[in-house]
Amino acid sequence: MTSRRNTIQKDLVRNTVYEMRRHVTANEVYEFIKEAYPTIGKGTVYRNLDILVEEGNLRKVEVPDGPNRFDLTLKNHYHVRCVNCGEISDVDMDEILGLLEKIHDTHGTDFLGYDILFKGICPKCQKKIKDGQIY
Amino acid sequence: MTSRRNTIQKDLVRNTVYEMRRHVTANEVYEFIKEAYPTIGKGTVYRNLDILVEEGNLRKVEVPDGPNRFDLTLKNHYHVRCVNCGEISDVDMDEILGLLEKIHDTHGTDFLGYDILFKGICPKCQKKIKDGQIY
DNA sequence: GTCTTTGCAAAACGTTTGCACGTGG
DNA sequence: CCACGTGCAAACGTTTTGCAAAGAC
Protein backbone atom coordinates (compact mmCIF):
# COMPACT_ATOMS: atom_id res chain seq x y z
CA MET A 1 0.00 0.00 0.00
CA THR A 2 1.39 3.36 -1.03
CA SER A 3 0.28 6.88 -0.17
CA ARG A 4 -3.33 7.94 -0.57
CA ARG A 5 -4.48 10.99 -2.45
CA ASN A 6 -7.35 13.29 -1.61
CA THR A 7 -9.89 13.55 -4.39
CA ILE A 8 -13.18 15.29 -4.89
CA GLN A 9 -14.85 11.90 -5.30
CA LYS A 10 -13.55 10.60 -2.00
CA ASP A 11 -14.82 13.72 -0.19
CA LEU A 12 -18.19 13.35 -1.88
CA VAL A 13 -18.49 9.75 -0.71
CA ARG A 14 -17.50 10.56 2.87
CA ASN A 15 -19.80 13.58 3.05
CA THR A 16 -22.72 11.70 1.54
CA VAL A 17 -22.59 8.94 4.14
CA TYR A 18 -22.30 11.67 6.76
CA GLU A 19 -25.23 13.66 5.42
CA MET A 20 -27.59 10.76 4.93
CA ARG A 21 -27.26 9.76 8.58
CA ARG A 22 -28.49 6.22 8.13
CA HIS A 23 -27.24 2.84 7.01
CA VAL A 24 -26.78 3.51 3.34
CA THR A 25 -25.93 1.08 0.59
CA ALA A 26 -23.18 1.75 -1.93
CA ASN A 27 -25.82 2.19 -4.61
CA GLU A 28 -27.70 4.77 -2.54
CA VAL A 29 -24.49 6.73 -2.13
CA TYR A 30 -23.87 6.48 -5.87
CA GLU A 31 -27.36 7.65 -6.80
CA PHE A 32 -27.16 10.54 -4.34
CA ILE A 33 -23.82 11.82 -5.59
CA LYS A 34 -24.87 11.44 -9.21
CA GLU A 35 -27.46 14.18 -8.71
CA ALA A 36 -24.77 16.78 -8.12
CA TYR A 37 -21.90 15.11 -9.92
CA PRO A 38 -23.32 13.06 -12.77
CA THR A 39 -20.10 11.63 -14.15
CA ILE A 40 -19.07 9.75 -11.01
CA GLY A 41 -18.61 6.03 -11.57
CA LYS A 42 -20.08 3.25 -9.51
CA GLY A 43 -16.67 1.63 -9.19
CA THR A 44 -15.30 4.84 -7.70
CA VAL A 45 -17.99 4.84 -5.02
CA TYR A 46 -17.29 1.21 -4.12
CA ARG A 47 -13.55 1.77 -4.08
CA ASN A 48 -13.78 4.85 -1.91
CA LEU A 49 -16.20 3.26 0.54
CA ASP A 50 -13.71 0.45 1.05
CA ILE A 51 -10.83 2.89 1.46
CA LEU A 52 -12.78 4.93 4.01
CA VAL A 53 -13.54 1.78 5.97
CA GLU A 54 -9.87 0.81 5.85
CA GLU A 55 -8.91 4.25 7.11
CA GLY A 56 -11.37 3.97 9.97
CA ASN A 57 -13.67 6.75 8.81
CA LEU A 58 -16.62 4.49 8.12
CA ARG A 59 -17.91 1.15 9.28
CA LYS A 60 -19.12 -1.52 6.90
CA VAL A 61 -22.18 -3.42 8.04
CA GLU A 62 -22.14 -6.72 6.21
CA VAL A 63 -25.61 -7.95 5.46
CA PRO A 64 -26.39 -11.43 4.18
CA ASP A 65 -28.71 -11.66 1.21
CA GLY A 66 -28.64 -7.98 0.54
CA PRO A 67 -26.33 -5.10 -0.21
CA ASN A 68 -23.82 -4.13 2.45
CA ARG A 69 -24.39 -0.93 4.39
CA PHE A 70 -22.10 1.80 5.60
CA ASP A 71 -22.44 4.02 8.60
CA LEU A 72 -20.55 6.59 10.60
CA THR A 73 -20.96 5.43 14.17
CA LEU A 74 -17.61 4.12 15.15
CA LYS A 75 -18.25 2.68 18.58
CA ASN A 76 -19.17 -0.97 18.58
CA HIS A 77 -22.88 -1.62 18.36
CA TYR A 78 -25.36 -4.09 16.93
CA HIS A 79 -27.87 -3.91 14.13
CA VAL A 80 -31.36 -5.12 13.39
CA ARG A 81 -32.63 -5.91 9.93
CA CYS A 82 -36.29 -5.76 9.02
CA VAL A 83 -37.13 -9.16 7.60
CA ASN A 84 -39.66 -7.51 5.34
CA CYS A 85 -38.04 -4.42 3.83
CA GLY A 86 -34.39 -5.06 4.69
CA GLU A 87 -33.84 -1.74 6.45
CA ILE A 88 -30.97 -1.71 8.92
CA SER A 89 -31.15 0.16 12.23
CA ASP A 90 -28.97 0.44 15.30
CA VAL A 91 -29.97 -1.57 18.36
CA ASP A 92 -30.11 0.35 21.62
CA MET A 93 -28.23 -2.12 23.78
CA ASP A 94 -25.04 -2.27 25.82
CA GLU A 95 -22.17 -4.19 24.34
CA ILE A 96 -22.00 -7.82 25.41
CA LEU A 97 -18.79 -8.44 27.26
CA GLY A 98 -16.78 -11.59 27.54
CA LEU A 99 -18.51 -13.42 24.72
CA LEU A 100 -15.34 -15.01 23.40
CA GLU A 101 -14.58 -16.41 26.86
CA LYS A 102 -17.80 -18.40 26.78
CA ILE A 103 -16.50 -20.65 24.02
CA HIS A 104 -15.92 -24.12 25.45
CA ASP A 105 -13.49 -25.40 22.84
CA THR A 106 -12.09 -23.34 19.99
CA HIS A 107 -10.98 -26.44 18.06
CA GLY A 108 -7.84 -24.56 17.12
CA THR A 109 -9.54 -21.57 15.60
CA ASP A 110 -8.15 -18.15 16.50
CA PHE A 111 -11.23 -16.11 17.36
CA LEU A 112 -11.02 -12.43 16.46
CA GLY A 113 -14.47 -11.00 17.08
CA TYR A 114 -18.11 -11.33 16.20
CA ASP A 115 -21.15 -9.61 14.76
CA ILE A 116 -24.68 -9.83 16.02
CA LEU A 117 -27.50 -9.20 13.59
CA PHE A 118 -30.98 -9.05 15.05
CA LYS A 119 -34.05 -9.79 12.99
CA GLY A 120 -37.27 -7.91 13.42
CA ILE A 121 -40.11 -6.07 11.77
CA CYS A 122 -39.73 -2.32 11.60
CA PRO A 123 -42.64 -0.02 12.57
CA LYS A 124 -43.41 0.88 8.95
CA CYS A 125 -43.75 -2.77 7.94
CA GLN A 126 -45.83 -3.57 11.04
CA LYS A 127 -48.26 -0.93 9.86
CA LYS A 128 -48.28 -2.36 6.34
CA ILE A 129 -49.10 -5.79 7.74
CA LYS A 130 -51.90 -4.42 9.91
CA ASP A 131 -53.36 -2.56 6.94
CA GLY A 132 -53.31 -5.74 4.87
CA GLN A 133 -50.94 -4.28 2.32
CA ILE A 134 -48.64 -7.27 2.69
CA TYR A 135 -48.98 -10.92 3.80
CA MET B 1 -48.85 -22.53 -0.61
CA THR B 2 -50.33 -25.71 -1.96
CA SER B 3 -49.32 -29.32 -1.39
CA ARG B 4 -45.74 -30.44 -1.85
CA ARG B 5 -44.65 -33.39 -3.91
CA ASN B 6 -41.83 -35.78 -3.21
CA THR B 7 -39.30 -35.94 -5.98
CA ILE B 8 -36.02 -37.71 -6.57
CA GLN B 9 -34.28 -34.36 -6.78
CA LYS B 10 -35.58 -33.24 -3.42
CA ASP B 11 -34.37 -36.47 -1.81
CA LEU B 12 -30.98 -36.07 -3.45
CA VAL B 13 -30.60 -32.56 -2.07
CA ARG B 14 -31.60 -33.57 1.45
CA ASN B 15 -29.37 -36.65 1.44
CA THR B 16 -26.41 -34.73 0.05
CA VAL B 17 -26.48 -32.16 2.82
CA TYR B 18 -26.83 -35.02 5.27
CA GLU B 19 -23.93 -37.00 3.81
CA MET B 20 -21.50 -34.14 3.49
CA ARG B 21 -21.79 -33.32 7.20
CA ARG B 22 -20.52 -29.79 6.96
CA HIS B 23 -21.70 -26.33 6.06
CA VAL B 24 -22.17 -26.75 2.35
CA THR B 25 -22.98 -24.14 -0.26
CA ALA B 26 -25.72 -24.61 -2.80
CA ASN B 27 -23.09 -24.95 -5.50
CA GLU B 28 -21.26 -27.71 -3.59
CA VAL B 29 -24.53 -29.60 -3.31
CA TYR B 30 -25.13 -29.11 -7.02
CA GLU B 31 -21.66 -30.32 -8.02
CA PHE B 32 -21.93 -33.33 -5.75
CA ILE B 33 -25.30 -34.43 -7.07
CA LYS B 34 -24.24 -33.86 -10.66
CA GLU B 35 -21.70 -36.70 -10.32
CA ALA B 36 -24.43 -39.26 -9.90
CA TYR B 37 -27.28 -37.42 -11.58
CA PRO B 38 -25.81 -35.23 -14.32
CA THR B 39 -28.99 -33.65 -15.60
CA ILE B 40 -29.99 -31.95 -12.36
CA GLY B 41 -30.37 -28.20 -12.70
CA LYS B 42 -28.88 -25.59 -10.47
CA GLY B 43 -32.25 -23.93 -10.05
CA THR B 44 -33.67 -27.20 -8.77
CA VAL B 45 -31.00 -27.39 -6.09
CA TYR B 46 -31.62 -23.83 -4.96
CA ARG B 47 -35.38 -24.33 -4.96
CA ASN B 48 -35.18 -27.55 -2.96
CA LEU B 49 -32.75 -26.15 -0.43
CA ASP B 50 -35.19 -23.33 0.26
CA ILE B 51 -38.10 -25.73 0.51
CA LEU B 52 -36.21 -27.96 2.93
CA VAL B 53 -35.39 -24.95 5.10
CA GLU B 54 -39.03 -23.91 5.03
CA GLU B 55 -40.07 -27.41 6.08
CA GLY B 56 -37.59 -27.34 8.96
CA ASN B 57 -35.34 -30.10 7.62
CA LEU B 58 -32.35 -27.84 7.07
CA ARG B 59 -31.00 -24.62 8.43
CA LYS B 60 -29.75 -21.82 6.22
CA VAL B 61 -26.65 -20.06 7.48
CA GLU B 62 -26.63 -16.66 5.86
CA VAL B 63 -23.15 -15.43 5.18
CA PRO B 64 -22.33 -11.88 4.12
CA ASP B 65 -20.00 -11.50 1.16
CA GLY B 66 -20.11 -15.14 0.26
CA PRO B 67 -22.48 -17.93 -0.67
CA ASN B 68 -25.00 -19.04 1.92
CA ARG B 69 -24.47 -22.36 3.66
CA PHE B 70 -26.83 -25.11 4.70
CA ASP B 71 -26.53 -27.52 7.57
CA LEU B 72 -28.46 -30.16 9.39
CA THR B 73 -28.05 -29.24 13.02
CA LEU B 74 -31.40 -28.01 14.11
CA LYS B 75 -30.76 -26.79 17.62
CA ASN B 76 -29.76 -23.17 17.88
CA HIS B 77 -26.06 -22.57 17.67
CA TYR B 78 -23.57 -20.05 16.40
CA HIS B 79 -21.04 -20.06 13.60
CA VAL B 80 -17.54 -18.83 12.97
CA ARG B 81 -16.23 -17.83 9.57
CA CYS B 82 -12.57 -17.94 8.69
CA VAL B 83 -11.70 -14.45 7.50
CA ASN B 84 -9.14 -15.96 5.17
CA CYS B 85 -10.79 -18.92 3.45
CA GLY B 86 -14.44 -18.33 4.33
CA GLU B 87 -15.02 -21.75 5.85
CA ILE B 88 -17.91 -21.94 8.29
CA SER B 89 -17.77 -24.03 11.47
CA ASP B 90 -19.96 -24.48 14.50
CA VAL B 91 -18.97 -22.70 17.69
CA ASP B 92 -18.87 -24.84 20.81
CA MET B 93 -20.75 -22.51 23.14
CA ASP B 94 -23.96 -22.48 25.14
CA GLU B 95 -26.81 -20.46 23.79
CA ILE B 96 -26.97 -16.91 25.10
CA LEU B 97 -30.21 -16.43 26.96
CA GLY B 98 -32.22 -13.31 27.44
CA LEU B 99 -30.46 -11.30 24.77
CA LEU B 100 -33.62 -9.64 23.52
CA GLU B 101 -34.43 -8.49 27.05
CA LYS B 102 -31.21 -6.48 27.15
CA ILE B 103 -32.50 -4.06 24.52
CA HIS B 104 -33.10 -0.70 26.16
CA ASP B 105 -35.50 0.75 23.63
CA THR B 106 -36.88 -1.14 20.63
CA HIS B 107 -37.99 2.10 18.91
CA GLY B 108 -41.12 0.27 17.85
CA THR B 109 -39.39 -2.61 16.14
CA ASP B 110 -40.78 -6.08 16.77
CA PHE B 111 -37.68 -8.17 17.53
CA LEU B 112 -37.88 -11.78 16.39
CA GLY B 113 -34.41 -13.22 16.96
CA TYR B 114 -30.78 -12.82 16.13
CA ASP B 115 -27.73 -14.45 14.59
CA ILE B 116 -24.19 -14.31 15.86
CA LEU B 117 -21.38 -14.77 13.41
CA PHE B 118 -17.91 -15.03 14.89
CA LYS B 119 -14.81 -14.15 12.91
CA GLY B 120 -11.60 -16.09 13.23
CA ILE B 121 -8.76 -17.83 11.49
CA CYS B 122 -9.14 -21.56 11.07
CA PRO B 123 -6.26 -23.92 11.91
CA LYS B 124 -5.46 -24.58 8.24
CA CYS B 125 -5.09 -20.88 7.49
CA GLN B 126 -3.04 -20.30 10.66
CA LYS B 127 -0.61 -22.85 9.31
CA LYS B 128 -0.56 -21.18 5.90
CA ILE B 129 0.25 -17.85 7.55
CA LYS B 130 3.03 -19.37 9.65
CA ASP B 131 4.49 -21.02 6.56
CA GLY B 132 4.48 -17.71 4.72
CA GLN B 133 2.11 -19.00 2.03
CA ILE B 134 -0.20 -16.03 2.60
CA TYR B 135 0.14 -12.48 3.97
C1' DG C 1 -55.88 -35.17 -15.95
C1' DT C 2 -54.25 -31.72 -13.24
C1' DC C 3 -51.08 -29.17 -11.02
C1' DT C 4 -46.34 -29.19 -9.16
C1' DT C 5 -41.62 -29.63 -10.27
C1' DT C 6 -37.89 -29.97 -13.40
C1' DG C 7 -34.04 -28.56 -16.64
C1' DC C 8 -32.29 -25.12 -19.09
C1' DA C 9 -30.96 -20.63 -20.14
C1' DA C 10 -31.28 -16.01 -19.35
C1' DA C 11 -31.66 -12.37 -16.23
C1' DA C 12 -31.08 -10.13 -11.87
C1' DC C 13 -28.25 -8.37 -8.37
C1' DG C 14 -24.36 -6.52 -5.84
C1' DT C 15 -19.70 -6.08 -6.49
C1' DT C 16 -15.03 -6.21 -8.66
C1' DT C 17 -11.86 -5.51 -12.30
C1' DG C 18 -9.20 -4.11 -16.70
C1' DC C 19 -7.77 -0.36 -18.93
C1' DA C 20 -7.06 4.14 -21.13
C1' DC C 21 -7.40 8.66 -19.50
C1' DG C 22 -7.17 12.35 -16.05
C1' DT C 23 -5.31 14.49 -11.86
C1' DG C 24 -2.99 15.43 -7.28
C1' DG C 25 1.23 16.10 -5.00
C1' DC D 1 6.42 14.22 -14.07
C1' DC D 2 4.28 9.94 -12.86
C1' DA D 3 2.01 7.15 -9.56
C1' DC D 4 -2.52 6.92 -8.08
C1' DG D 5 -7.43 7.63 -8.89
C1' DT D 6 -11.23 7.99 -12.15
C1' DG D 7 -14.99 6.65 -15.47
C1' DC D 8 -16.71 3.33 -18.15
C1' DA D 9 -17.95 -1.13 -19.43
C1' DA D 10 -17.41 -5.73 -19.08
C1' DA D 11 -16.87 -9.65 -16.02
C1' DC D 12 -17.87 -11.89 -11.86
C1' DG D 13 -20.20 -15.10 -8.40
C1' DT D 14 -24.50 -16.10 -6.41
C1' DT D 15 -29.23 -16.51 -6.77
C1' DT D 16 -33.75 -16.01 -9.06
C1' DT D 17 -36.88 -16.48 -12.78
C1' DG D 18 -39.57 -17.59 -17.24
C1' DC D 19 -41.08 -21.23 -19.65
C1' DA D 20 -41.96 -25.57 -22.03
C1' DA D 21 -41.60 -30.36 -20.98
C1' DA D 22 -41.72 -34.08 -17.54
C1' DG D 23 -43.50 -36.25 -13.64
C1' DA D 24 -46.25 -36.97 -9.08
C1' DC D 25 -50.51 -38.13 -7.27
Side-chain angles (χ1 to χ4, degrees), chain B residues 10-53:
Chain B
K10 187 173 170 184
D11 278 346
L12 284 166
V13 170
R14 188 200 293 102
N15 292 341
T16 299
V17 178
Y18 188 84
E19 274 181 41
M20 296 186 90
R21 296 200 167 280
R22 47 191 194 84
H23 299 82
V24 291
T25 64
N27 197 56
E28 285 168 348
V29 175
Y30 168 68
E31 293 292 341
F32 186 90
I33 296 176
K34 208 161 49 129
E35 293 295 307
Y37 196 98
T39 61
I40 196 164
K42 221 171 230 199
T44 301
V45 173
Y46 275 93
R47 275 183 292 237
N48 276 307
L49 285 168
D50 282 343
I51 289 168
L52 288 161
V53 168

Side-chain angles (χ1 to χ4, degrees), chain A residues 60-100:
Chain A
K60 186 185 211 166
V61 184
E62 299 191 326
V63 180
D65 286 339
N68 290 323
R69 312 294 180 123
F70 297 85
D71 73 351
L72 264 183
T73 315
L74 295 176
K75 84 174 189 66
N76 205 24
H77 64 280
Y78 310 122
H79 295 99
V80 56
R81 177 171 50 156
C82 177
V83 296
N84 184 253
C85 69
E87 193 187 63
I88 301 286
S89 310
D90 289 342
V91 175
D92 187 359
M93 184 171 130
D94 294 329
E95 195 177 348
I96 298 170
L97 300 171
L99 200 56
L100 297 184

Side-chain angles (χ1 to χ4, degrees), chain A residues 6-16 19 27-45 47-48:
Chain A
N6 293 320
T7 64
I8 296 164
Q9 290 86 345
K10 188 173 169 186
D11 278 347
L12 284 167
V13 170
R14 188 198 296 103
N15 292 340
T16 299
E19 274 180 41
N27 197 56
E28 286 168 347
V29 174
Y30 168 68
E31 292 292 341
F32 186 90
I33 295 176
K34 209 160 48 124
E35 292 295 307
Y37 196 97
T39 62
I40 197 165
K42 221 171 226 198
T44 301
V45 172
R47 276 183 292 239
N48 276 306

Side-chain angles (χ1 to χ4, degrees), chain B residues 92-128:
Chain B
D92 187 357
M93 184 172 128
D94 294 328
E95 194 177 348
I96 298 171
L97 299 172
L99 200 56
L100 297 185
E101 284 72 49
K102 288 185 183 166
I103 297 165
H104 293 134
D105 183 349
T106 64
H107 298 287
T109 292
D110 183 14
F111 280 77
L112 302 172
Y114 64 90
D115 280 325
I116 302 182
L117 185 60
F118 289 87
K119 300 174 202 177
I121 303 175
C122 74
K124 277 182 194 164
C125 287
Q126 286 176 45
K127 191 173 184 320
K128 281 183 198 162

